[in-house]
mmCIF file of all heavy atoms in Angstrom:
data_model
loop_
_atom_site.group_PDB
_atom_site.id
_atom_site.type_symbol
_atom_site.label_atom_id
_atom_site.label_comp_id
_atom_site.label_asym_id
_atom_site.label_seq_id
_atom_site.Cartn_x
_atom_site.Cartn_y
_atom_site.Cartn_z
ATOM 1 N N ARG A 1 113.468 98.491 125.751
ATOM 2 C CA ARG A 1 112.437 97.573 125.254
ATOM 3 C C ARG A 1 113.068 96.400 124.548
ATOM 4 O O ARG A 1 112.623 95.256 124.703
ATOM 5 C CB ARG A 1 111.502 98.325 124.325
ATOM 6 C CG ARG A 1 110.433 97.406 123.729
ATOM 7 C CD ARG A 1 109.383 98.160 122.952
ATOM 8 N NE ARG A 1 108.412 97.236 122.366
ATOM 9 C CZ ARG A 1 107.356 97.622 121.651
ATOM 10 N NH1 ARG A 1 107.115 98.908 121.507
ATOM 11 N NH2 ARG A 1 106.541 96.730 121.150
ATOM 12 N N TYR A 2 114.103 96.633 123.771
ATOM 13 C CA TYR A 2 114.732 95.551 123.034
ATOM 14 C C TYR A 2 115.374 94.557 123.985
ATOM 15 O O TYR A 2 115.354 93.349 123.746
ATOM 16 C CB TYR A 2 115.793 96.117 122.090
ATOM 17 C CG TYR A 2 116.365 95.078 121.164
ATOM 18 C CD1 TYR A 2 115.691 94.705 119.993
ATOM 19 C CD2 TYR A 2 117.565 94.441 121.457
ATOM 20 C CE1 TYR A 2 116.223 93.741 119.145
ATOM 21 C CE2 TYR A 2 118.111 93.480 120.601
ATOM 22 C CZ TYR A 2 117.417 93.128 119.455
ATOM 23 O OH TYR A 2 117.927 92.169 118.622
ATOM 24 N N GLU A 3 115.940 95.042 125.096
ATOM 25 C CA GLU A 3 116.599 94.160 126.049
ATOM 26 C C GLU A 3 115.597 93.440 126.944
ATOM 27 O O GLU A 3 115.776 92.308 127.317
ATOM 28 C CB GLU A 3 117.565 94.967 126.899
ATOM 29 C CG GLU A 3 118.771 95.504 126.140
ATOM 30 C CD GLU A 3 119.688 94.395 125.636
ATOM 31 O OE1 GLU A 3 119.733 93.325 126.272
ATOM 32 O OE2 GLU A 3 120.346 94.588 124.596
ATOM 33 N N ARG A 4 114.506 94.125 127.291
ATOM 34 C CA ARG A 4 113.550 93.588 128.239
ATOM 35 C C ARG A 4 112.449 92.767 127.575
ATOM 36 O O ARG A 4 112.071 91.707 128.072
ATOM 37 C CB ARG A 4 112.909 94.741 129.050
ATOM 38 C CG ARG A 4 111.957 94.291 130.134
ATOM 39 C CD ARG A 4 111.396 95.469 130.923
ATOM 40 N NE ARG A 4 110.477 95.054 131.946
ATOM 41 C CZ ARG A 4 110.801 94.655 133.150
ATOM 42 N NH1 ARG A 4 112.083 94.635 133.482
ATOM 43 N NH2 ARG A 4 109.882 94.319 134.045
ATOM 44 N N ASP A 5 111.917 93.259 126.474
ATOM 45 C CA ASP A 5 110.798 92.596 125.794
ATOM 46 C C ASP A 5 111.086 92.472 124.302
ATOM 47 O O ASP A 5 110.404 93.084 123.464
ATOM 48 C CB ASP A 5 109.492 93.351 125.995
ATOM 49 C CG ASP A 5 109.094 93.445 127.453
ATOM 50 O OD1 ASP A 5 108.970 92.374 128.080
ATOM 51 O OD2 ASP A 5 108.867 94.572 127.962
ATOM 52 N N PRO A 6 112.077 91.678 123.921
ATOM 53 C CA PRO A 6 112.446 91.590 122.502
ATOM 54 C C PRO A 6 111.329 90.994 121.622
ATOM 55 O O PRO A 6 111.280 91.290 120.434
ATOM 56 C CB PRO A 6 113.686 90.706 122.508
ATOM 57 C CG PRO A 6 113.582 89.909 123.762
ATOM 58 C CD PRO A 6 112.933 90.807 124.745
ATOM 59 N N PHE A 7 110.459 90.149 122.222
ATOM 60 C CA PHE A 7 109.444 89.528 121.410
ATOM 61 C C PHE A 7 108.278 90.447 121.108
ATOM 62 O O PHE A 7 107.377 90.114 120.334
ATOM 63 C CB PHE A 7 108.922 88.265 122.099
ATOM 64 C CG PHE A 7 109.961 87.193 122.231
ATOM 65 C CD1 PHE A 7 110.504 86.859 123.462
ATOM 66 C CD2 PHE A 7 110.446 86.519 121.106
ATOM 67 C CE1 PHE A 7 111.480 85.884 123.590
ATOM 68 C CE2 PHE A 7 111.413 85.534 121.230
ATOM 69 C CZ PHE A 7 111.941 85.231 122.456
ATOM 70 N N THR A 8 108.233 91.613 121.738
ATOM 71 C CA THR A 8 107.195 92.619 121.403
ATOM 72 C C THR A 8 107.705 93.590 120.346
ATOM 73 O O THR A 8 106.963 94.495 119.947
ATOM 74 C CB THR A 8 106.813 93.400 122.659
ATOM 75 O OG1 THR A 8 107.934 94.216 123.097
ATOM 76 C CG2 THR A 8 106.395 92.482 123.789
ATOM 77 N N TRP A 9 108.924 93.385 119.886
ATOM 78 C CA TRP A 9 109.542 94.278 118.886
ATOM 79 C C TRP A 9 109.012 93.855 117.502
ATOM 80 O O TRP A 9 109.707 93.187 116.735
ATOM 81 C CB TRP A 9 111.051 94.151 118.966
ATOM 82 C CG TRP A 9 111.810 95.220 118.226
ATOM 83 C CD1 TRP A 9 111.997 95.289 116.876
ATOM 84 C CD2 TRP A 9 112.476 96.349 118.778
ATOM 85 N NE1 TRP A 9 112.744 96.411 116.564
ATOM 86 C CE2 TRP A 9 113.051 97.075 117.729
ATOM 87 C CE3 TRP A 9 112.657 96.837 120.072
ATOM 88 C CZ2 TRP A 9 113.798 98.230 117.903
ATOM 89 C CZ3 TRP A 9 113.384 97.982 120.272
ATOM 90 C CH2 TRP A 9 113.954 98.681 119.199
ATOM 91 N N LYS A 10 107.830 94.271 117.169
ATOM 92 C CA LYS A 10 107.198 93.861 115.898
ATOM 93 C C LYS A 10 106.050 94.797 115.595
ATOM 94 O O LYS A 10 105.664 95.643 116.432
ATOM 95 C CB LYS A 10 106.659 92.430 116.021
ATOM 96 C CG LYS A 10 105.665 92.235 117.141
ATOM 97 C CD LYS A 10 105.224 90.801 117.247
ATOM 98 C CE LYS A 10 104.218 90.645 118.402
ATOM 99 N NZ LYS A 10 103.710 89.257 118.497
ATOM 100 N N SER A 11 105.516 94.662 114.391
ATOM 101 C CA SER A 11 104.405 95.535 113.975
ATOM 102 C C SER A 11 103.034 94.912 114.222
ATOM 103 O O SER A 11 102.033 95.537 114.010
ATOM 104 C CB SER A 11 104.529 95.888 112.495
ATOM 105 O OG SER A 11 104.510 94.700 111.717
ATOM 106 N N SER A 12 103.021 93.628 114.664
ATOM 107 C CA SER A 12 101.771 92.926 114.971
ATOM 108 C C SER A 12 100.778 93.013 113.816
ATOM 109 O O SER A 12 99.703 93.584 113.914
ATOM 110 C CB SER A 12 101.133 93.498 116.259
ATOM 111 O OG SER A 12 102.014 93.377 117.334
ATOM 112 N N SER A 13 101.153 92.432 112.702
ATOM 113 C CA SER A 13 100.359 92.510 111.490
ATOM 114 C C SER A 13 98.993 91.838 111.654
ATOM 115 O O SER A 13 98.865 90.796 112.286
ATOM 116 C CB SER A 13 101.118 91.887 110.308
ATOM 117 O OG SER A 13 100.292 91.829 109.146
ATOM 118 N N SER A 14 97.969 92.435 111.036
ATOM 119 C CA SER A 14 96.615 91.858 110.992
ATOM 120 C C SER A 14 96.262 91.559 109.539
ATOM 121 O O SER A 14 95.126 91.769 109.119
ATOM 122 C CB SER A 14 95.603 92.807 111.625
ATOM 123 O OG SER A 14 95.632 94.067 110.965
ATOM 124 N N GLN A 15 97.199 91.075 108.793
ATOM 125 C CA GLN A 15 97.060 90.916 107.353
ATOM 126 C C GLN A 15 95.979 89.903 107.005
ATOM 127 O O GLN A 15 95.347 89.970 105.951
ATOM 128 C CB GLN A 15 98.386 90.494 106.738
ATOM 129 C CG GLN A 15 98.381 90.368 105.202
ATOM 130 C CD GLN A 15 99.748 90.101 104.645
ATOM 131 O OE1 GLN A 15 100.740 90.324 105.300
ATOM 132 N NE2 GLN A 15 99.777 89.628 103.411
ATOM 133 N N LEU A 16 95.754 88.918 107.878
ATOM 134 C CA LEU A 16 94.760 87.892 107.576
ATOM 135 C C LEU A 16 93.344 88.452 107.620
ATOM 136 O O LEU A 16 92.423 87.801 107.136
ATOM 137 C CB LEU A 16 94.883 86.734 108.605
ATOM 138 C CG LEU A 16 96.202 85.931 108.533
ATOM 139 C CD1 LEU A 16 96.222 84.891 109.617
ATOM 140 C CD2 LEU A 16 96.348 85.291 107.167
ATOM 141 N N LEU A 17 93.128 89.629 108.198
ATOM 142 C CA LEU A 17 91.824 90.201 108.310
ATOM 143 C C LEU A 17 91.695 91.420 107.352
ATOM 144 O O LEU A 17 92.427 92.382 107.516
ATOM 145 C CB LEU A 17 91.551 90.675 109.763
ATOM 146 C CG LEU A 17 91.764 89.604 110.862
ATOM 147 C CD1 LEU A 17 91.585 90.225 112.237
ATOM 148 C CD2 LEU A 17 90.794 88.445 110.634
ATOM 149 N N ARG A 18 90.810 91.322 106.384
ATOM 150 C CA ARG A 18 90.612 92.375 105.389
ATOM 151 C C ARG A 18 91.927 92.780 104.746
ATOM 152 O O ARG A 18 92.376 93.914 104.812
ATOM 153 C CB ARG A 18 89.939 93.606 106.053
ATOM 154 C CG ARG A 18 88.533 93.324 106.459
ATOM 155 C CD ARG A 18 87.856 94.484 107.160
ATOM 156 N NE ARG A 18 87.689 95.604 106.258
ATOM 157 C CZ ARG A 18 87.031 96.728 106.590
ATOM 158 N NH1 ARG A 18 86.506 96.842 107.788
ATOM 159 N NH2 ARG A 18 86.927 97.709 105.738
ATOM 160 N N ARG A 19 92.544 91.828 104.087
ATOM 161 C CA ARG A 19 93.888 91.987 103.517
ATOM 162 C C ARG A 19 93.917 93.061 102.433
ATOM 163 O O ARG A 19 94.882 93.806 102.307
ATOM 164 C CB ARG A 19 94.360 90.644 102.957
ATOM 165 C CG ARG A 19 95.779 90.685 102.388
ATOM 166 C CD ARG A 19 96.222 89.278 101.957
ATOM 167 N NE ARG A 19 97.591 89.297 101.482
ATOM 168 C CZ ARG A 19 97.944 89.538 100.239
ATOM 169 N NH1 ARG A 19 97.019 89.811 99.338
ATOM 170 N NH2 ARG A 19 99.237 89.521 99.893
ATOM 171 N N LYS A 20 92.868 93.141 101.577
ATOM 172 C CA LYS A 20 92.884 94.056 100.425
ATOM 173 C C LYS A 20 92.995 95.510 100.899
ATOM 174 O O LYS A 20 93.811 96.268 100.395
ATOM 175 C CB LYS A 20 91.622 93.867 99.602
ATOM 176 C CG LYS A 20 91.613 94.701 98.336
ATOM 177 C CD LYS A 20 90.397 94.392 97.481
ATOM 178 C CE LYS A 20 90.408 95.202 96.201
ATOM 179 N NZ LYS A 20 89.177 94.926 95.361
ATOM 180 N N GLN A 21 92.161 95.888 101.867
ATOM 181 C CA GLN A 21 92.221 97.260 102.371
ATOM 182 C C GLN A 21 93.532 97.512 103.100
ATOM 183 O O GLN A 21 94.072 98.628 102.998
ATOM 184 C CB GLN A 21 91.040 97.521 103.333
ATOM 185 C CG GLN A 21 90.979 98.982 103.818
ATOM 186 C CD GLN A 21 89.783 99.234 104.696
ATOM 187 O OE1 GLN A 21 88.996 98.353 104.953
ATOM 188 N NE2 GLN A 21 89.657 100.474 105.175
ATOM 189 N N LEU A 22 94.050 96.517 103.777
ATOM 190 C CA LEU A 22 95.342 96.687 104.454
ATOM 191 C C LEU A 22 96.459 96.955 103.453
ATOM 192 O O LEU A 22 97.266 97.864 103.660
ATOM 193 C CB LEU A 22 95.653 95.443 105.276
ATOM 194 C CG LEU A 22 97.075 95.379 105.862
ATOM 195 C CD1 LEU A 22 97.258 96.490 106.868
ATOM 196 C CD2 LEU A 22 97.348 94.023 106.470
ATOM 197 N N MET A 23 96.502 96.177 102.385
ATOM 198 C CA MET A 23 97.588 96.311 101.428
ATOM 199 C C MET A 23 97.576 97.700 100.776
ATOM 200 O O MET A 23 98.585 98.360 100.669
ATOM 201 C CB MET A 23 97.502 95.209 100.374
ATOM 202 C CG MET A 23 97.715 93.803 100.929
ATOM 203 S SD MET A 23 99.288 93.613 101.839
ATOM 204 C CE MET A 23 100.440 93.841 100.479
ATOM 205 N N LEU A 24 96.412 98.141 100.317
ATOM 206 C CA LEU A 24 96.330 99.439 99.659
ATOM 207 C C LEU A 24 96.636 100.570 100.616
ATOM 208 O O LEU A 24 97.447 101.454 100.331
ATOM 209 C CB LEU A 24 94.922 99.618 99.053
ATOM 210 C CG LEU A 24 94.684 100.955 98.319
ATOM 211 C CD1 LEU A 24 95.687 101.120 97.195
ATOM 212 C CD2 LEU A 24 93.251 101.007 97.794
ATOM 213 N N GLY A 25 96.010 100.539 101.773
ATOM 214 C CA GLY A 25 96.245 101.577 102.777
ATOM 215 C C GLY A 25 97.708 101.585 103.268
ATOM 216 O O GLY A 25 98.288 102.660 103.458
ATOM 217 N N SER A 26 98.259 100.397 103.471
ATOM 218 C CA SER A 26 99.609 100.290 103.965
ATOM 219 C C SER A 26 100.636 100.836 102.941
ATOM 220 O O SER A 26 101.591 101.542 103.319
ATOM 221 C CB SER A 26 99.943 98.843 104.298
ATOM 222 O OG SER A 26 101.261 98.714 104.795
ATOM 223 N N VAL A 27 100.417 100.498 101.669
ATOM 224 C CA VAL A 27 101.372 100.982 100.643
ATOM 225 C C VAL A 27 101.299 102.512 100.543
ATOM 226 O O VAL A 27 102.332 103.192 100.533
ATOM 227 C CB VAL A 27 101.034 100.332 99.281
ATOM 228 C CG1 VAL A 27 101.802 101.030 98.138
ATOM 229 C CG2 VAL A 27 101.378 98.858 99.315
ATOM 230 N N LEU A 28 100.089 103.065 100.495
ATOM 231 C CA LEU A 28 99.960 104.519 100.412
ATOM 232 C C LEU A 28 100.564 105.191 101.636
ATOM 233 O O LEU A 28 101.269 106.207 101.517
ATOM 234 C CB LEU A 28 98.474 104.893 100.275
ATOM 235 C CG LEU A 28 97.758 104.488 98.976
ATOM 236 C CD1 LEU A 28 96.292 104.830 99.068
ATOM 237 C CD2 LEU A 28 98.400 105.190 97.783
ATOM 238 N N PHE A 29 100.262 104.668 102.807
ATOM 239 C CA PHE A 29 100.762 105.252 104.015
ATOM 240 C C PHE A 29 102.295 105.205 104.114
ATOM 241 O O PHE A 29 102.939 106.219 104.386
ATOM 242 C CB PHE A 29 100.162 104.568 105.231
ATOM 243 C CG PHE A 29 100.746 105.010 106.552
ATOM 244 C CD1 PHE A 29 100.450 106.262 107.077
ATOM 245 C CD2 PHE A 29 101.617 104.181 107.262
ATOM 246 C CE1 PHE A 29 100.994 106.659 108.287
ATOM 247 C CE2 PHE A 29 102.173 104.590 108.458
ATOM 248 C CZ PHE A 29 101.852 105.830 108.975
ATOM 249 N N HIS A 30 102.877 104.060 103.832
ATOM 250 C CA HIS A 30 104.306 103.905 104.000
ATOM 251 C C HIS A 30 105.084 104.723 102.950
ATOM 252 O O HIS A 30 106.077 105.333 103.271
ATOM 253 C CB HIS A 30 104.713 102.433 103.940
ATOM 254 C CG HIS A 30 104.417 101.685 105.208
ATOM 255 N ND1 HIS A 30 103.225 101.060 105.455
ATOM 256 C CD2 HIS A 30 105.180 101.492 106.312
ATOM 257 C CE1 HIS A 30 103.240 100.488 106.635
ATOM 258 N NE2 HIS A 30 104.444 100.737 107.180
ATOM 259 N N VAL A 31 104.617 104.690 101.715
ATOM 260 C CA VAL A 31 105.280 105.465 100.677
ATOM 261 C C VAL A 31 105.247 106.972 101.032
ATOM 262 O O VAL A 31 106.273 107.690 100.955
ATOM 263 C CB VAL A 31 104.677 105.232 99.323
ATOM 264 C CG1 VAL A 31 105.200 106.220 98.259
ATOM 265 C CG2 VAL A 31 104.967 103.784 98.849
ATOM 266 N N GLY A 32 104.064 107.433 101.381
ATOM 267 C CA GLY A 32 103.916 108.858 101.711
ATOM 268 C C GLY A 32 104.713 109.251 102.953
ATOM 269 O O GLY A 32 105.401 110.294 102.948
ATOM 270 N N ILE A 33 104.634 108.442 103.998
ATOM 271 C CA ILE A 33 105.302 108.805 105.261
ATOM 272 C C ILE A 33 106.802 108.760 105.148
ATOM 273 O O ILE A 33 107.510 109.550 105.800
ATOM 274 C CB ILE A 33 104.796 107.931 106.420
ATOM 275 C CG1 ILE A 33 104.903 108.644 107.761
ATOM 276 C CG2 ILE A 33 105.556 106.596 106.470
ATOM 277 C CD1 ILE A 33 103.956 109.782 107.911
ATOM 278 N N ILE A 34 107.336 107.847 104.323
ATOM 279 C CA ILE A 34 108.780 107.777 104.123
ATOM 280 C C ILE A 34 109.281 109.041 103.437
ATOM 281 O O ILE A 34 110.301 109.637 103.827
ATOM 282 C CB ILE A 34 109.157 106.508 103.320
ATOM 283 C CG1 ILE A 34 108.978 105.282 104.203
ATOM 284 C CG2 ILE A 34 110.590 106.606 102.821
ATOM 285 C CD1 ILE A 34 109.177 103.985 103.461
ATOM 286 N N VAL A 35 108.546 109.499 102.402
ATOM 287 C CA VAL A 35 108.931 110.732 101.729
ATOM 288 C C VAL A 35 108.844 111.924 102.661
ATOM 289 O O VAL A 35 109.725 112.791 102.705
ATOM 290 C CB VAL A 35 108.055 110.951 100.469
ATOM 291 C CG1 VAL A 35 108.351 112.310 99.807
ATOM 292 C CG2 VAL A 35 108.259 109.846 99.454
ATOM 293 N N VAL A 36 107.776 111.991 103.457
ATOM 294 C CA VAL A 36 107.611 113.089 104.393
ATOM 295 C C VAL A 36 108.727 113.090 105.437
ATOM 296 O O VAL A 36 109.308 114.122 105.768
ATOM 297 C CB VAL A 36 106.238 112.992 105.096
ATOM 298 C CG1 VAL A 36 106.141 113.972 106.252
ATOM 299 C CG2 VAL A 36 105.130 113.301 104.092
ATOM 300 N N PHE A 37 109.035 111.906 105.971
ATOM 301 C CA PHE A 37 110.040 111.805 107.033
ATOM 302 C C PHE A 37 111.415 112.252 106.517
ATOM 303 O O PHE A 37 112.072 113.092 107.147
ATOM 304 C CB PHE A 37 110.121 110.375 107.543
ATOM 305 C CG PHE A 37 111.212 110.141 108.546
ATOM 306 C CD1 PHE A 37 111.088 110.544 109.846
ATOM 307 C CD2 PHE A 37 112.397 109.487 108.136
ATOM 308 C CE1 PHE A 37 112.131 110.354 110.775
ATOM 309 C CE2 PHE A 37 113.421 109.281 109.034
ATOM 310 C CZ PHE A 37 113.282 109.709 110.339
ATOM 311 N N PHE A 38 111.858 111.680 105.418
ATOM 312 C CA PHE A 38 113.195 112.030 104.926
ATOM 313 C C PHE A 38 113.212 113.447 104.370
ATOM 314 O O PHE A 38 114.264 114.095 104.359
ATOM 315 C CB PHE A 38 113.668 111.013 103.896
ATOM 316 C CG PHE A 38 114.123 109.712 104.482
ATOM 317 C CD1 PHE A 38 113.281 108.604 104.451
ATOM 318 C CD2 PHE A 38 115.344 109.614 105.111
ATOM 319 C CE1 PHE A 38 113.700 107.401 104.996
ATOM 320 C CE2 PHE A 38 115.770 108.431 105.685
ATOM 321 C CZ PHE A 38 114.927 107.305 105.640
ATOM 322 N N GLY A 39 112.045 113.913 103.866
ATOM 323 C CA GLY A 39 111.990 115.307 103.443
ATOM 324 C C GLY A 39 112.227 116.260 104.595
ATOM 325 O O GLY A 39 112.967 117.258 104.463
ATOM 326 N N HIS A 40 111.609 115.995 105.758
ATOM 327 C CA HIS A 40 111.827 116.816 106.923
ATOM 328 C C HIS A 40 113.284 116.664 107.429
ATOM 329 O O HIS A 40 113.903 117.656 107.838
ATOM 330 C CB HIS A 40 110.874 116.391 108.056
ATOM 331 C CG HIS A 40 109.508 116.988 107.906
ATOM 332 N ND1 HIS A 40 108.615 116.602 106.932
ATOM 333 C CD2 HIS A 40 108.854 117.931 108.623
ATOM 334 C CE1 HIS A 40 107.505 117.276 107.043
ATOM 335 N NE2 HIS A 40 107.616 118.110 108.083
ATOM 336 N N LEU A 41 113.782 115.436 107.396
ATOM 337 C CA LEU A 41 115.125 115.177 107.882
ATOM 338 C C LEU A 41 116.147 115.971 107.076
ATOM 339 O O LEU A 41 117.023 116.675 107.642
ATOM 340 C CB LEU A 41 115.408 113.694 107.849
ATOM 341 C CG LEU A 41 116.652 113.206 108.669
ATOM 342 C CD1 LEU A 41 116.369 113.373 110.159
ATOM 343 C CD2 LEU A 41 116.905 111.727 108.347
ATOM 344 N N VAL A 42 116.082 115.860 105.763
ATOM 345 C CA VAL A 42 117.013 116.555 104.888
ATOM 346 C C VAL A 42 116.774 118.063 104.931
ATOM 347 O O VAL A 42 117.704 118.848 104.974
ATOM 348 C CB VAL A 42 116.930 116.024 103.462
ATOM 349 C CG1 VAL A 42 117.812 116.851 102.514
ATOM 350 C CG2 VAL A 42 117.327 114.552 103.427
ATOM 351 N N GLY A 43 115.515 118.424 104.910
ATOM 352 C CA GLY A 43 115.169 119.852 104.873
ATOM 353 C C GLY A 43 115.603 120.599 106.131
ATOM 354 O O GLY A 43 116.066 121.758 106.050
ATOM 355 N N LEU A 44 115.510 119.975 107.307
ATOM 356 C CA LEU A 44 115.838 120.668 108.537
ATOM 357 C C LEU A 44 117.335 120.645 108.853
ATOM 358 O O LEU A 44 117.882 121.587 109.441
ATOM 359 C CB LEU A 44 115.083 120.029 109.724
ATOM 360 C CG LEU A 44 113.573 120.359 109.793
ATOM 361 C CD1 LEU A 44 112.932 119.572 110.924
ATOM 362 C CD2 LEU A 44 113.329 121.851 109.964
#
């Protein structure tokens, strides 16, 4: 994908639409998922 479609290598942010809910939800999701991911990685 990186070699064939490098310009699609993005998160396609929709921050301009309902920014407040995006920011709160995004922070909660990313903080939680990072802890879960590395917790599984180290734990296993």
Side-chain angles (χ1 to χ4, degrees):
R1 178 172 178 177
Y2 188 82
E3 293 294 332
R4 184 178 178 84
D5 298 305
F7 296 110
T8 67
W9 193 284
K10 57 183 180 177
S11 60
S12 301
S13 175
S14 58
Q15 184 174 342
L16 294 177
L17 306 175
R18 291 178 66 174
R19 182 176 184 272
K20 185 176 181 180
Q21 184 178 359
L22 170 65
M23 295 304 294
L24 180 58
S26 180
V27 169
L28 292 175
F29 173 72
H30 283 89
V31 170
I33 207 70
I34 288 173
V35 174
V36 169
F37 174 77
F38 284 103
H40 280 70
L41 196 66
V42 174
L44 287 175

